[in-house]
Amino acid sequence: MARKETVVGEVQKIMEATENVRNIAIIAHVDHGKTTLTDSLVAKAGLISKELAGEQRMMDFDEQEQARGITIKAANISLGFNYKGTEHLINLIDTPGHVDFGGHVTRALRAVDGVVLVVDAVEGIMPQTETVLRQALKERAKPIVFINKIDRLVNELKLDQQQMQARLIKVVMGINKILLANCAPEFKEKWEIKIDNANIAFGSAFHKWAVSAASMKRFGITFKDIYTSCANGDHETLQKRSPLDDVLLEMVIQHLPSPKFAQKYRIPVIWKGDQATPEFQSMALCDSKGATVGVCFGVVYDEHAGEVGVVRVFSGKIQKGDQIYVYSKKQFFKVQQVGIFMGPDRVQSDFISAGNIGAVVGLKDVYIGETISSSEKITPFEEIKHYSEPVVTKSIEAKDSKDLAKLIEVLRGLSKEDPTLRVEINQETGESLISGMGELHLEIIEYKISKEKGVQIKTSPPIVVYRETINNPSQVIEGKSPNKHNKFKLLVEPLPQEIVDAITEGKIPQGAPKGKEVITTLIGLGMERDEAKGIWDIYGSNIFVDVTKGVQYLNEVEELAIEGFEEAMRKGPLSQDRVSGVKVKLVDATLHEDNVHRGPAQVIPAVKRPIYAALINAGIALLEPKLKILITTPQQYAGDVINMTNGRRGQLLNMEQEGETATIHTLMPVVEMFGFSNALRGSTQGRAIWYQEYAGYENVPRDLISKIVRQTRERKGLPPDPPGIETFLD
């Protein structure tokens, strides 16, 4: 620990020299070598031995990560380096590559100003490579690239020197295609990956060597030297002549921005407050003497300290004893401890200053994406938007009823640590539902509950999360309050896909529209001006619009009407699944003059029931989650693989052939993925590799809807037949 305490002292000295700080994330597809690469930087900082770098995988300190050989959660470390006589600090986040844990990547990208994109030279650009690069560019995090495992091109694929160079150039072109399509116009030229710019390196993270255009000049290495050494298996010479840690450190410091530089262009994108305020000015300048403003991008539990917020500070400074305002709680909390992360350890520090990442203890019930500040007048940061949704659900209950309270507490804690885990708790029956990104995600959650938290549980087989929607508009439906004194006339329409996508991507925030920007965006996407101005609420991917004229007392029941709308959207009439892609229009209302007769018990059902009736009238349908599947298989098995995926309602998108290998791209319903691994193994004698990527929701074929609805309703303890329109009309 002594070495780590010394490091904290070094880190604190550099923290305030923000031009010498770099906040970076290592991002990649699963198994492309992020954690192995990170080891070399950790070793250069003196925290592990150089001999063990690449094998120790220090940032995979979780027991399940070590056992499975994959990164499951983002891990933070602060490393001090002397580069060309100047002390530098790199706050590094090693992120997962598996699609089930993509939420950790999304959250990490809010905290960093630059990323190292790692790509396997043999596999090339994979689904998650594209996803994480797109997300980084959305957060204005500048990329540099490390193409890993290039020795495999020589030793496994037996490519000659020209073929090897052609393969690497193809990967670079593919990365630039994604970058130029998703990058802000002002950065396209500056951020483009070019070998001559030395913002890309090639090498082997496991063998601890790398080359960039700059290092090849400096160390006098040619491409022929690299090819010959790889062919001879002589990695030691390359490691001595061009060590990975030197090349990577040079790239990070030379090509990734300091917070002082990056916050000028990042803050206007992730924070939409008034740019004339002192808070904006101090964040844009990364001023440690300004008001404290930061965002919590992670929550971890410590058995001794309790809840620990992982924060990026954009201005000001946080130290023990400070009063920090937590935006969602609308109150101040006293900071009990601050610290910095050293991989598995959190070491106490005197402060965290602007432009840095650290740990804060004492912010009660802080959640991921939370805005924290020394002032209560702060505008919150833009919501951290996760790109995929929980699509697989399991029922979970405690084996022993005396553990029920502990299970509920554990589930609440886990859902705060991981916002991509959705938990619905039924306190009466003791049964709860956990929804995650995939089977592996839920497997890890179950392991944490039973092994780490000590609660023995029973779980159901996995089930798929559906959505309810409409494809046609309804007639106007009138709903009456139970006392018959209040009437609401409503209709429903499908929301255009462009608007649904804009809500999903976070361009249109949840709740009532604030400011003209949201209204302008919606008008630009085709919504009529009067409707856009009349929006009361955006909930999920649904919109509630008031298009009435001159209805008395309507403003007094607005909040109750919104509550009725949200209740209807949470549980649709077909199978009590969430509703998606619906616009609800309130076209008229008649309200009792005495507010005693228009309380919650009257207004909420008078809005909710006609929404249900209108959904049924419009012809309610089901949406199911889909995955894009990429399968790499020997050519001789391609026909069998296509037959197998077609039998599981797969939709062939594309097929490519390179040499003896076929790459099949297909779109598959999540419900057909259970047992997919075994089926693929059987079709290819175990010689196929496959990856998946979330692909959103699509309509369930009509002939399957009634069967799925009956199964879902029976599972939820409801009558098997869904209600008709008359159920909701008085």
Side-chain angles (χ1 to χ4, degrees), residues 170 280 299 342 667 717:
K170 185 181 172 187
F280 176 82
V299 176
M342 290 283 141
L667 193 64

Side-chain angles (χ1 to χ4, degrees), residues 354-521:
N356 285 279
I357 292 167
V360 181
V361 178
L363 307 177
K364 300 265 170 58
D365 280 338
V366 70
Y367 77 94
I368 288 170
E370 180 72 86
T371 301
I372 60 172
S373 173
S374 55
S375 161
E376 58 201 283
K377 292 175 184 167
I378 188 67
T379 302
F381 281 86
E382 289 291 285
E383 182 187 358
I384 295 176
K385 193 74 190 170
H386 294 98
Y387 289 77
S388 44
E389 297 182 43
V391 292
V392 178
T393 295
K394 281 188 176 183
S395 161
I396 181 170
E397 54 187 305
K399 276 186 180 174
D400 193 328
S401 56
K402 71 175 178 9
D403 284 337
L404 176 58
K406 189 177 179 187
L407 175 61
I408 289 170
E409 186 189 330
V410 167
L411 287 173
R412 283 191 173 136
L414 289 172
S415 65
K416 285 183 77 175
E417 283 185 41
D418 181 359
T420 53
L421 174 72
R422 190 170 288 150
V423 177
E424 288 179 43
I425 296 169
N426 188 329
Q427 307 236 12
E428 293 168 18
T429 63
E431 182 193 67
S432 300
L433 294 176
I434 54 172
S435 303
M437 312 305 265
E439 289 183 86
L440 179 60
H441 187 197
L442 293 185
E443 236 178 82
I444 299 295
I445 295 297
E446 288 170 47
Y447 177 87
K448 285 185 175 182
I449 294 167
S450 56
K451 297 289 192 291
E452 292 179 11
K453 308 293 184 183
V455 180
Q456 295 309 304
I457 51 172
K458 293 184 286 187
T459 59
S460 71
I463 49 182
V464 170
V465 180
Y466 291 92
R467 296 273 183 271
E468 300 184 27
T469 193
I470 53 169
N471 297 313
N472 299 295
S474 74
Q475 298 170 336
V476 174
I477 305 283
E478 182 177 86
K480 295 174 188 166
S481 59
N483 63 13
K484 312 295 185 210
H485 292 317
N486 306 284
K487 296 174 185 175
F488 293 87
K489 287 185 178 178
L490 298 140
L491 63 85
V492 296
E493 295 174 355
L495 208 51
Q497 191 58 44
E498 297 80 12
I499 295 178
V500 173
D501 291 343
I503 295 171
T504 307
E505 289 164 14
K507 292 174 186 170
I508 298 171
Q510 299 285 299
K514 295 178 180 75
K516 292 179 183 172
E517 196 178 326
V518 175
I519 294 165
T520 308
T521 303

Side-chain angles (χ1 to χ4, degrees), residues 223-290:
F223 210 87
K224 189 178 178 186
D225 296 338
I226 298 163
Y227 185 86
T228 306
S229 293
C230 287
N232 296 334
D234 182 11
H235 296 288
E236 206 173 309
T237 301
L238 285 173
Q239 191 188 326
K240 281 177 184 166
R241 289 182 69 185
S242 190
L244 169 61
D245 51 10
D246 277 5
V247 173
L248 189 58
L249 183 64
E250 177 181 56
M251 272 175 59
V252 167
I253 290 171
Q254 293 285 354
H255 293 283
L256 293 184
S258 69
K260 195 174 186 69
F261 182 77
Q263 286 183 200
K264 289 185 180 73
Y265 57 80
R266 284 197 73 214
I267 295 298
V269 173
I270 61 176
W271 188 79
K272 298 296 186 188
D274 183 354
Q275 296 194 9
T277 58
E279 287 87 357
F280 176 82
Q281 297 303 323
S282 60
M283 282 195 282
L285 295 169
C286 193
D287 182 4
S288 60
K289 294 184 174 63

